[in-house]
Amino acid sequence: MPYRWWPATLAALVGITDTEVLQALNAERRRPLPGSALGIPALSIWARTDAGRPLIVVVKQEGQFSWGILGARDLSPDELAEFEKWEASAA
């Protein structure tokens, strides 16, 4: 699935590399959750990088098979606990 970086998104990454974002988006185990970002329908992907770092990456569908990356961040402690519970139940 092709992903496109919005220039502002790439410039706004703090402490997360573009490689880590792509690793999370392409992880074998991902938890997609529908939602919205600034009123725009979006999908948040909860996943781990190759090194095991848990991230949330927010994407917006732009075409039938293409997605724009809106942002990425680390999971909060509460989100991490929820994600680990999901990981354990999905094993």
Side-chain angles (χ1 to χ4, degrees):
M1 179 176 312
Y3 295 101
R4 183 177 72 83
W5 285 98
W6 291 16
T9 301
L10 191 53
L13 288 180
V14 177
I16 301 172
T17 68
D18 57 335
T19 300
E20 288 176 310
V21 171
L22 294 175
Q23 288 173 0
L25 287 172
N26 292 304
E28 188 172 311
R29 297 186 67 209
R30 296 176 300 250
R31 183 178 185 199
L33 296 169
S36 66
L38 302 172
I40 300 168
L43 186 67
S44 66
I45 308 293
W46 298 28
R48 292 186 184 271
T49 65
D50 293 352
R53 182 179 185 180
L55 295 177
I56 293 177
V57 182
V58 179
V59 296
K60 176 191 177 299
Q61 190 165 13
E62 296 181 327
Q64 186 175 359
F65 299 108
S66 62
W67 296 79
I69 301 169
L70 300 177
R73 66 172 175 81
D74 289 301
L75 276 72
S76 71
D78 288 343
E79 291 166 336
L80 180 57
E82 180 181 337
F83 183 59
E84 288 175 339
K85 183 177 177 181
W86 173 83
E87 286 178 312
S89 71

